[in-house]
Amino acid sequence: MLQTPHQSLQVAAVPTQRAAAIPSQRGPARDQDAPWHTEAVCRRDEAGLFFAPSKEPTAARLSREDAAKRVCGGCPVMAECREHALVQPEPYGVWGGLTAAERRVVLARRRRREMELQQSTRATDRIAAAG
């Protein structure tokens, strides 16, 4: 998804294995020297499809978000866009095929997994120290 003027464009690191798989699934490899957003399919669409107008009725919002997600589904840089929106974090709009609410869920799951991993590591360290 394209940025709004007030947002920075710091590209998040995408796991190499995941990023490498995308070009082969979606088409020819992209120029790795160019910023990911230069090849975003949404650059050709109106931003209104990806960002809600104020006081948008629920049915219209859901329809617009579904249309935006269909555009994202055919985008060769969807994974990079999604990771950008998760790392920034982007508070509005559809980015990488996820709405703001869906991104909040993904971020909460990531935090929970990180906490569980830390707790598991601490428990393993205690067992090793006691043993």
Side-chain angles (χ1 to χ4, degrees):
M1 185 61 240
L2 289 181
Q3 69 184 25
T4 56
H6 67 282
Q7 296 165 326
S8 67
L9 259 186
Q10 297 174 351
V11 179
V14 177
T16 310
Q17 184 179 30
R18 176 93 170 119
I22 290 178
S24 64
Q25 294 172 355
R26 306 228 179 198
R30 67 182 185 86
D31 180 3
Q32 295 299 318
D33 294 333
W36 64 265
H37 55 86
T38 60
E39 297 189 31
V41 174
C42 61
R43 290 179 67 93
R44 297 183 293 257
D45 293 302
E46 284 194 33
L49 183 61
F50 298 91
F51 294 94
S54 62
K55 299 182 181 180
E56 181 179 34
T58 302
R61 177 181 55 81
L62 294 173
S63 176
R64 179 188 49 73
E65 288 174 346
D66 284 343
K69 288 178 179 184
R70 283 193 299 276
V71 171
C72 292
C75 185
V77 294
M78 183 174 76
E80 291 93 335
C81 179
R82 179 177 293 181
E83 195 60 25
H84 163 82
L86 291 167
V87 170
Q88 279 303 319
E90 295 291 351
Y92 306 107
V94 175
W95 289 75
L98 296 177
T99 64
E102 292 166 336
R103 290 192 303 276
R104 286 190 295 273
V105 170
V106 170
L107 289 170
R109 286 180 181 160
R110 281 185 180 183
R111 283 190 298 271
R112 190 169 36 251
R113 270 194 306 256
E114 288 172 6
M115 287 177 44
E116 289 170 354
L117 182 59
Q118 289 173 355
Q119 290 171 351
S120 174
T121 301
R122 280 189 226 126
T124 303
D125 291 346
R126 280 185 293 212
I127 291 170

